[in-house]
Every structure is written in C-alpha cells, then in structure tokens.
Amino acid sequence: MRNEGLDKRKILQILEEKLACDHSYDEGYILGSMCTEVNEFGKEVYLKYISKNLGDPGLFPGTAKLEEEVVAEIGELFNGSNIIGSFMTGGSEANLIAMRIAKKLHEDIKEPEIVVPISAHRSFDKAGDLLNIKIKKARLKNNFELDLEHFNSLISENTCGVVAIAGTTSLGLIDPIEKIGEIIDGRDIFFHVDAAFGGFVLPFLKQLSYDIPPWDFSVKQVDSITADPHKMGMGVIPSGGLFLRNKEIIQKVGFEIPYLAGGNFKHLHLVGTRPGATVIAFWAIMEYLGIKGFTQIVQKCMDNTHYLAEQIKEIKGVALAAEPVMNVIGITTENGESICELDKELRKMHWMLGKFEEFNLIRAVIMPHVTREHLGRFVNDLKIAVKKLKLN
Ligand code: 0PR
C-alpha cells in the first residue's frame, strides 16, 4: 500500500488501464454467461444504500422488513403464499443452504444422501463435499430429459432430499417436477427446486402463454426454490435467493447470533455481514419493471433465442442439442464429433460460450444484453468455423 494517497482522477485513470482487458456485455461476445448488465435504476438505488448491512438486521430494521416483503412477493410470483427466505450471495449458496436444511431436518439419517439429476449445477457437488452428504446422480435420457425411473431407483432410506432443476445450466430444460413430487409424496423427503436461472424467466414465459409445466410452489411437495436476481432478474451481483414454504425452518435450523449490536437473531446464511443494498436494489427493480417490464425483456430474449435456433438448424454440420424451452441454446455437431474444436475456433474469433464436454455441446445464453446484431455476427462466424473444420 502506498504511503501517501493519489488523487482520484489519477486512480480512475489507472483503473481504466488495469481493467481495459475486461469484456463488456455490450460488445456482444459474451454469449455464454448467465449474468448481464445490471438494470440502470437498480444501479442507482444500489449506490444510494451501499453501506447497509443485513448481517445485523436489528440495526437496519427497515431494510430487513423490505427483504421480507420482496421475498414474499417473489414467493407469490412462484405461486406460494407467505413464503419466507432470504437473499444470498448466489445460487451456489442458496443450493448449499437448501441442502443443509434437508440434512438438518433428518438428523436421524446417519449417512445422508441427496438425489439430483446429473445435469444439476456443480454447487450440489460443493454442498455434498462441505456438508458430508452423498450426492447420487440420476441419468438423463438421450434427449437430455431426466430418466425418472433411474431417479426413483436412487431414492433410499438414507435420502434426506431430492433436487429438480427448472432451467438446467447446460440447456435451460425443466425437470418433471410434478412427477418427482408424486414420487416423494407422503414420504419425509425435502424437495428443492433449483430455478437459479429459470426463476426469473418462467413466470414471464407463462405471461407470454408459453406452455410451462408446473415447477414452483404450485407443486405441493416443493419445499424450497433457488432463484437468482443476479441472473435473469438483472439484479446487482451478488444476489441469489432462497425461498422456503415452511415458516418454521429458520427457527428450527437457523444459526443463532446472540451478540449483535442490533440484538439476537437467527439466520440461515453462510456469511455474516451481507449487503442490504442488493436487496433494496432488487425491490426497486421489481417495482420499476413490474410483471409487464420483465415480460417484455423475456420476450425479447425469446425472440432472439428462436432466431438463433432457426439459424443453427440451417447450418449443415451443427445441430441444436435440444429444442430450447427458455433462452438457453445448446449447439452440438450433427455427426457426433467432439465439440471441442468448434469451441476453440469460436474462441479464436472472440466468442465466449460455455463448453459442456459431458453433453458434447456448447451453450449460448441469450441474455438481455444480447442483440440481433450480435447474433447475426455470431452466425456468420459459426458458419466460417464449421466450414474450416469441415463439419459440413
Ligand atoms: N444453479 C444453476 C441452475 C445455475 O446455472 C447456477 C450458475 C447456479 C445454480 C449457481 O449460481 P451462482 O453462480 O450464482 O452461485 N450458473 C452459471 C453457470 O455455471 C453461473 C455463471 C454465470 C457462469 C455467469 C458464467 C457466467 O459468466 O453457467
């Protein structure tokens, strides 16, 4: 650390130089990210309230109340009533905490297990590792749908929880959540739905009359949902969310922090100090956009998704891994050849997509920052790469 401080202008100039190699969403090459430009009004609100700490809610009761409000409102969007929960650092923390709840509610199980689809996000492996829970992975069928029979066969007397995904990381697909609910109905098994990505897409697809199977608290066995404002909610990073049906859970399994300046309270978090401003900013974004505003944004993403999907179908040599359900597209090779070379070629042309070797696909996420013009450029480069690699 320097002894004497620099002036602000100089510091900002140094920062510009140091960060010049970062990518920006509007340049168009970020085509494989589930994050996007934060809503402009959200940014303003965030800055205004940046010092608020929800780690000590007694000091910021207004912010704590606002969090309860925004959680309940999101719970209603997910067809629940009186839903409780909390903002988190992201989907990983929300999934981790959900897995901890599943374990804590079954302390009689000595070697706890969770059953997840193999397409589940890596955060479940992290949770398994950190919590000492065995993660059992159910296969997918050839069309990337969950093999429900295999899923069912993995459930045993050691199963403390099951997980379904509403918007898989690789393809944006939705697991058969109602059917999983039926499988565990009447059994003492915690049911968590990971809608980290889909949570702020699916309610708006419904508004657009898309045929979306029940995935949320409308499925009566669903106990908890992860849904991340910092993905399709256009919220400030970090903002994930965990939403719970059972109001008693925090009292039952929450960590007690007895000594805080604002007074004793219980919480579910891994972190202590945590931002209030991300919560306030998301409350403001929801107020500002309303259902209508979110729906318009999702519609634009879906129009672009359909455009890209149609273009890919026209290119000989590549194919869609699955018909897109939401704004995620998997591109694979037509002849089953490895996707790695294509990914390399596209990277040489600056395109940054996600590569899922286990499913032999590269993933494009058509986020709000992605424009038709970006996609046009991408399609041209994809054609060049396919030709160069002689995939056609
Ligand atoms: N659940 C699902 C279904 C996810 O897709 C993700 C992350 C998570 C949980 C974990 O969320 P956090 O990353 O908030 O903890 N999905 C993205 C992915 O792995 C995360 C991401 C975001 C990756 C932006 C790259 C990127 O540029 O693809």
Side-chain angles (χ1 to χ4, degrees):
M1 192 159 146
R2 64 178 67 247
N3 191 31
E4 214 164 298
L6 283 180
D7 76 73
K8 290 181 194 166
R9 273 218 344 262
K10 181 70 192 156
I11 296 169
L12 290 173
Q13 186 201 328
I14 297 172
L15 276 177
E16 281 292 304
E17 286 160 20
K18 284 190 182 291
L19 304 181
C21 58
D22 282 2
H23 295 280
S24 75
Y25 293 110
D26 59 3
E27 74 192 14
Y29 289 110
I30 303 182
L31 208 47
S33 173
M34 286 187 167
C35 291
T36 192
E37 194 62 52
V38 173
N39 174 278
E40 288 303 321
F41 182 52
K43 286 183 196 172
E44 256 177 62
V45 174
Y46 175 75
L47 277 182
K48 189 155 182 218
Y49 298 109
I50 202 159
S51 304
K52 296 198 185 276
N53 169 26
L54 273 174
D56 198 345
L59 298 185
F60 304 96
T63 309
K65 181 93 189 0
L66 198 73
E67 182 177 40
E68 277 174 25
E69 252 178 58
V70 72
V71 163
E73 220 176 302
I74 295 169
E76 276 170 29
L77 191 67
F78 298 165
N79 288 306
S81 60
N82 302 319
I83 296 302
I84 61 145
S86 191
F87 274 51
M88 303 256 156
T89 52
S92 299
E93 189 189 356
N95 287 338
L96 172 74
I97 300 305
M99 296 306 92
R100 175 179 174 269
I101 292 170
K103 183 179 172 181
K104 292 294 282 185
L105 293 177
H106 298 90
E107 283 187 306
D108 49 314
I109 300 179
K110 293 290 159 260
E111 291 179 359
E113 298 174 356
I114 303 270
V115 179
V116 307
I118 197 161
S119 47
H121 187 256
R122 292 282 194 275
S123 47
F124 292 101
D125 295 314
K126 291 186 185 173
D129 184 66
L130 290 164
L131 294 164
N132 209 9
I133 298 176
K134 186 168 179 189
I135 305 294
K136 291 174 111 180
K137 297 189 180 182
R139 289 190 294 261
L140 304 184
K141 296 190 259 183
N142 284 341
N143 60 2
F144 297 103
E145 271 174 30
L146 176 64
D147 180 339
L148 206 56
E149 249 174 64
H150 189 230
F151 188 94
N152 194 4
S153 75
L154 297 179
I155 297 175
S156 74
E157 67 276 12
N158 286 334
T159 306
C160 61
V162 293
V163 172
I165 311 152
T168 57
T169 303
S170 48
L171 279 167
L173 300 181
I174 308 170
D175 288 327
I177 290 166
E178 266 188 314
K179 291 213 174 98
I180 294 175
E182 283 164 22
I183 289 175
I184 61 150
D185 193 37
R187 294 157 82 173
D188 181 21
I189 294 175
F190 193 81
F191 187 5
H192 176 66
V193 172
D194 181 0
F197 185 76
F200 291 101
V201 182
L202 294 172
F204 310 116
L205 287 182
K206 207 82 209 195
Q207 292 288 323
L208 293 165
S209 304
Y210 278 68
D211 186 15
I212 302 296
W215 64 274
D216 54 14
F217 289 116
S218 63
V219 178
K220 70 178 198 300
Q221 298 87 357
V222 168
D223 292 302
S224 61
I225 295 176
T226 287
D228 289 351
H230 71 197
K231 295 188 170 70
M232 277 299 287
M234 293 156 288
V236 178
I237 298 171
S239 9
L242 178 63
F243 304 90
L244 299 154
R245 194 196 289 274
N246 180 346
K247 281 176 284 304
E248 268 92 62
I249 279 185
I250 297 185
Q251 278 317 311
K252 256 190 191 158
V253 307
F255 298 104
E256 188 160 13
I257 318 287
Y259 56 79
L260 298 172
N264 185 338
F265 87 112
K266 273 191 167 183
H267 73 177
L268 294 169
H269 297 269
L270 202 59
V271 296
T273 306
R274 71 184 176 96
T278 51
V279 177
I280 302 168
F282 196 60
W283 179 87
I285 292 171
M286 282 177 57
E287 287 293 299
Y288 180 63
L289 290 177
I291 302 241
K292 255 193 177 159
F294 271 108
T295 304
Q296 274 166 7
I297 291 165
V298 167
Q299 176 156 33
K300 183 196 132 195
C301 294
M302 289 312 291
D303 288 348
N304 284 336
T305 301
H306 295 137
Y307 165 78
L308 180 59
E310 288 314 309
Q311 294 291 313
I312 287 166
K313 284 181 192 165
E314 298 290 308
I315 303 174
K316 216 170 157 296
V318 287
L320 292 179
E323 210 44 59
V325 173
M326 50 187 95
N327 45 332
V328 182
I329 285 188
I331 306 169
T332 188
T333 54
E334 230 165 5
N335 59 8
E337 213 170 288
S338 160
I339 208 73
C340 293
E341 289 306 312
L342 184 59
D343 180 65
K344 252 193 229 159
E345 244 1 271
L346 290 169
R347 275 180 196 277
K348 276 190 216 158
M349 299 184 201
H350 310 298
W351 294 102
M352 288 161 285
L353 295 90
K355 180 176 61 160
F356 291 75
E357 275 189 75
E358 67 274 38
F359 303 130
N360 199 37
L361 63 89
I362 41 183
R363 175 194 73 177
V365 192
I366 317 304
M367 295 299 288
H369 65 265
V370 176
T371 66
R372 197 60 74 93
E373 191 260 327
H374 299 151
L375 292 177
R377 277 197 276 142
F378 172 68
V379 168
N380 272 339
D381 284 351
L382 179 60
K383 285 179 185 161
I384 293 169
V386 164
K387 207 164 173 193
K388 184 168 173 200
L389 296 172
K390 299 194 170 60
L391 288 172
N392 53 350

